[in-house]
Amino acid sequence: MKKKNIARLAPLGLVAALALSACSANGGDEAVSTDSKATISYAVWDENQVPALKQNIADFNKEYPNIEVKLDVTPWSQFWTKLQTQASSDTLPDVFWMNGPNFQLYAANDQLEPLTGLIDDKKIDPANYPEALDTLYSYDGTQYGVPKDFDTLGLWYNKSILEQAGVEIPTDAWTWDEIHAASKKISDTLGDQGVYGMTTSLTGGQEGYYNSILQAGGEIISEDGKKSGYDSPEAIEGIQFWTDLIADGSMPTLQQLSDTTANVWFTSGKSGFFYSGTWIVSELSEAENTMDLNVAPLPKGERQATVIHGLANVISSKSKNKAASEAFVTYLASKEAQTTQAEMGAANPAFNGTQTAFVDSVPHFDIQVLLDAQDYAYPYPISKNTAAWTQLETDLLPAAFSGDKPVKDVANELATKMNEALAKE
C-alpha cells in the first residue's frame, strides 16, 4: 500500500462535494481496439514505483500503441486533497489509485465506474486476487477496484547498529519485552552519536499503533464498523507500548519524528529498528546502507498480528475515455503487469502466485516474512467515512504518545468521539 498511511481528508466538505458531483452525467465512448486513439490520465502518489509503472505503460502500448497514458504523480500529503477538488469539479483522473479508507466514500457517491462489465466479460477475474482485497473494494455487492498490491508490516533492522550496541538479531519469537529492551540498549549505547533504538510513523496507525493494538488482543473498530474499540483495556495497552518507548528514550520524541520522518531516521543510520511495511522495500533497497538492512516479523504481544491492506486501480465514472481506461486497468490487473512490478521491487503484487518475483527482487532482504505475515494479518480498519475518525486519531493521540495526558483518558475520549462519528454514517 504505498505510501499506504491513512488519508487525512476534510470529511464533511468531501461528502458534500462528492454528493453534488454525483448528480452529473457520466461520459461515454466507443469500444476500444488496437487502433484506438486516446489520451488518459493515471494518478498515483508513490515516486518509488514510477519506474515500474512506466514499464507497465510501455508494455500496455505494445497492444494499444495509440493510447497515451499520462502518469500524474502527486505526493501523498497532497494526493487526497487534489482528488477531492477534482471530484467536486468532475475532473477526476481517468484511472487512479484508491485505498481502503477512502474507497467507500467515493463509491457511495458514484465517483467510481463499476467493473461489472469487465468481470462479466471475463477480462478481469476476481479469483486471481486475495478475497479480502476483492471485498475491500466492493460496495453494495459491486466491485469497483482491481487489487494492485498488498502490504503487511515487519520489523526492519540495521545489522551494523545492532552489532555496535551488542544487540542480537531479532527472531520470529521476539516479544514486546525483547524489542523494548533491545531498543533501550541501542539508545543507551549509541545515544551520544544521535542513534535511537526504535522509530516508526505515529501520524497514522498502519505502521505503528494499529499493529500493537491488535497484538494486545484489541481492535480499532468492531467488525460491523459500528463501534470504536479504543476504550478497551487491550487498545489502551497497545497505545501504551509506544508511549513507553518514547518516555524512556528508546525512540525519538514526536517533535523529532515531525522534524525528521521515520524512514529518514532509519536510512540515515540513526535508528536500529523501524516498523514499516512492504511498500518500503524499494526505498530501502536503494539506500546507501542497504546491505546493513533486513526485516523480521513484528514482535508479539498477547498474540502475533499485523494489519493487512492493499491498493486498487479504479476508473472515474466521469471519464471521457472509458473504454481506453478499462483497457488500461485490465492490463494493470494482469499477471504480466503485476509480475513486472514484483520483479522491479516496486510493490508486493496482489495477483495470486506472482509474489515470488517480489521476494526475489531484493535477495539480501528476507521479504518472505512479509508474505508469511498474511497468516496472522487482520484487515485494515475502515468504515463508510473512515476519514472522520482517523482525523480524531490525529488530533487526540499525540497527547497520549507524548505523555501529556494519561493514555486511558485519551483512549476513552477518542472512543466517545469516534462512536459519535460512526453514528452519523
Side-chain angles (χ1 to χ4, degrees), residues 27 67 108 153 163 168 238 245-246 250 262 299 311 347 350 378 382 395 418:
I67 296 179
L153 276 289
E163 182 178 1
E168 297 292 326
L245 282 166
I246 294 173
S250 298
L311 298 188
Y378 290 79
I382 63 169
D395 294 342
M418 181 173 166

Side-chain angles (χ1 to χ4, degrees), residues 277-321:
T278 316
W279 63 87
I280 204 72
V281 168
S282 177
E283 179 179 341
L284 297 186
S285 69
E286 296 176 359
E288 290 185 2
N289 59 351
T290 185
M291 298 309 296
D292 288 331
L293 311 180
N294 207 344
V295 63
L298 290 180
K300 304 172 186 174
E302 292 298 317
R303 63 184 178 185
Q304 194 169 25
T306 179
V307 171
I308 186 171
H309 178 255
L311 298 188
N313 286 303
V314 297
I315 301 170
S316 167
S317 63
K318 311 301 189 315
S319 171
K320 304 301 182 187
N321 294 294

Side-chain angles (χ1 to χ4, degrees), residues 217-232:
E219 60 184 10
I220 295 85
I221 191 171
S222 59
E223 288 188 12
D224 63 3
K226 302 294 186 183
K227 185 177 183 302
S228 171
Y230 270 108
D231 52 357
S232 72

Side-chain angles (χ1 to χ4, degrees), residues 230-374:
Y230 270 108
D231 52 357
S232 72
E234 293 83 5
I236 292 169
E237 185 180 5
I239 298 169
Q240 188 73 50
F241 172 76
W242 298 104
T243 302
D244 292 344
L245 282 166
I246 294 173
D248 69 6
S250 298
M251 182 170 169
T253 65
L254 292 185
Q255 184 59 55
Q256 288 174 299
L257 289 170
S258 176
D259 294 340
T260 304
T261 56
N263 59 317
V264 176
W265 279 96
F266 190 62
T267 55
S268 62
K270 296 299 182 183
S271 176
F273 298 109
F274 176 35
Y275 272 45
S276 192
T278 316
W279 63 87
I280 204 72
V281 168
S282 177
E283 179 179 341
L284 297 186
S285 69
E286 296 176 359
E288 290 185 2
N289 59 351
T290 185
M291 298 309 296
D292 288 331
L293 311 180
N294 207 344
V295 63
L298 290 180
K300 304 172 186 174
E302 292 298 317
R303 63 184 178 185
Q304 194 169 25
T306 179
V307 171
I308 186 171
H309 178 255
L311 298 188
N313 286 303
V314 297
I315 301 170
S316 167
S317 63
K318 311 301 189 315
S319 171
K320 304 301 182 187
N321 294 294
K322 207 165 288 179
S325 299
E326 289 181 343
F328 183 52
V329 165
T330 298
Y331 178 74
L332 293 174
S334 70
K335 183 177 182 179
E336 176 185 330
Q338 300 211 2
T339 299
T340 295
Q341 292 209 33
E343 291 176 343
M344 295 184 71
N348 182 29
F351 197 104
N352 293 329
T354 61
Q355 291 83 20
T356 300
F358 183 62
V359 172
D360 295 339
S361 66
V362 190
H364 60 280
F365 291 166
D366 293 330
I367 299 175
Q368 185 63 44
V369 304
L370 298 171
L371 303 187
D372 293 342
Q374 294 178 76

Side-chain angles (χ1 to χ4, degrees), residues 26 36 41 51 68 140 180 203 266 295 399 401-402:
N26 289 352
S36 294
S41 53
E68 180 183 9
D140 279 350
H180 195 151
T203 56
F266 190 62
V295 63
F401 294 135
S402 66

